[in-house]
Amino acid sequence: MINLELPDLPYSKDSLMPYMSAETLELHHDKHHMAYITNGNKFIKENNINENSEEEIVINSYQKNLPVFNNVSQHINHVHFWQVMSNNPDGKIPSELESKINSDLGSVDQMKQDFINAGIGQFGSGWCWLVLNKGKLEITKTPNAENPIVHGHIPLLGCDVWEHSYYVDYRNRRPDYLKAFIDNLVNWEKVAENLNNA
Ligand code: MN3
């Protein structure tokens, strides 16, 4: 039976400042992510879930078993989210990825604007994404815990727009958080790696 575990952050909690504070990461990683893991493991046991991977659990529980889906999907969303961030104000995008962004999404500036708009446009809680859909890059958004894999999309870059991800640092200013994220907090090497592995 799958046992969800909290991964260490791949950086120190104060290393994303000033764009994301240590206080936010402490709450978000140590408390919020941990709660999804605790509840996810409980529901996996209670429901005798026997899939071999976290991704399979998410796909098979989608629209069928909400407690399992919500917690396991949020777990994989957050594992992804920690990995795609770094303190990267130069924001240099590896050239192969940049060419693909230019050809599939118009330009880097257009991609960034569409990503921000997707995050602003997600009513309530959820995520905005750069995904690969049938070999093509797309910007999407999902509600609540939904991971793009339930739509057959491969997530390359996801941003958490639940209030717990930005309220400490940005209060209600979700657009400012999204702009800081896409301009200064993306580990584009990791996004390129996600594309290569897709
Ligand atoms: Mn979160």
Side-chain angles (χ1 to χ4, degrees), residues 84-113:
V84 293
M85 286 195 287
S86 67
N87 196 324
N88 187 18
D90 297 335
K92 188 151 170 35
I93 301 179
S95 58
E96 217 172 303
L97 173 60
E98 186 172 358
S99 314
K100 187 151 178 66
I101 289 171
N102 288 334
S103 68
D104 290 354
L105 299 171
S107 66
V108 169
D109 284 347
Q110 188 66 54
M111 175 274 292
K112 287 184 172 182
Q113 197 52 56

Side-chain angles (χ1 to χ4, degrees), residues 43-72:
F43 291 125
I44 285 169
K45 277 207 189 73
E46 281 178 11
N47 290 272
N48 204 21
I49 300 288
N50 275 314
E51 274 89 343
N52 293 315
S53 73
E54 294 162 359
E55 287 75 14
E56 268 181 63
I57 296 176
V58 168
I59 289 167
N60 293 341
S61 64
Y62 180 55
Q63 292 180 335
K64 293 197 183 81
N65 186 329
L66 206 56
V68 169
F69 176 78
N70 280 340
N71 287 284
V72 181

Side-chain angles (χ1 to χ4, degrees), residues 28 74 78 127 160 162 164:
H28 199 174
Q74 278 290 71
H78 286 83
W127 295 75
D160 189 341
W162 288 57
H164 65 226

Side-chain angles (χ1 to χ4, degrees), residues 106-192:
S107 66
V108 169
D109 284 347
Q110 188 66 54
M111 175 274 292
K112 287 184 172 182
Q113 197 52 56
D114 290 347
F115 189 89
I116 290 170
N117 289 341
I120 294 170
Q122 175 50 45
F123 183 77
S125 296
W127 295 75
C128 56
W129 305 91
L130 172 68
V131 301
L132 193 68
N133 179 16
K134 299 187 182 81
K136 221 174 161 227
L137 298 179
E138 266 179 29
I139 301 292
T140 66
K141 57 185 162 68
T142 58
N144 301 313
E146 213 171 273
N147 185 284
I149 57 174
V150 301
H151 306 293
H153 302 165
I154 299 164
L156 306 178
L157 171 67
C159 181
D160 189 341
V161 299
W162 288 57
E163 282 187 346
H164 65 226
S165 192
Y166 61 88
Y167 216 84
V168 168
D169 301 320
Y170 298 90
R171 297 298 164 184
N172 61 329
R173 292 176 285 114
R174 189 190 286 189
D176 292 356
Y177 159 67
L178 283 159
K179 182 157 174 45
F181 177 88
I182 201 73
D183 283 340
N184 309 296
L185 277 179
V186 178
N187 180 348
W188 290 106
E189 300 287 338
K190 181 68 193 173
V191 178

Side-chain angles (χ1 to χ4, degrees), residues 1-48:
M1 191 173 279
I2 293 273
N3 184 57
L4 311 177
E5 285 175 15
L6 186 68
D8 289 335
L9 291 172
Y11 31 73
S12 66
K13 288 201 177 83
D14 58 4
S15 65
L16 301 185
M17 289 163 72
Y19 312 111
M20 187 176 283
S21 66
E23 188 186 351
T24 289
L25 282 173
E26 207 170 297
L27 286 165
H28 199 174
H29 176 268
D30 300 1
K31 307 288 186 205
H32 288 276
H33 189 172
M34 193 64 217
Y36 297 126
I37 288 168
T38 305
N39 292 322
N41 284 331
K42 181 171 102 80
F43 291 125
I44 285 169
K45 277 207 189 73
E46 281 178 11
N47 290 272
N48 204 21

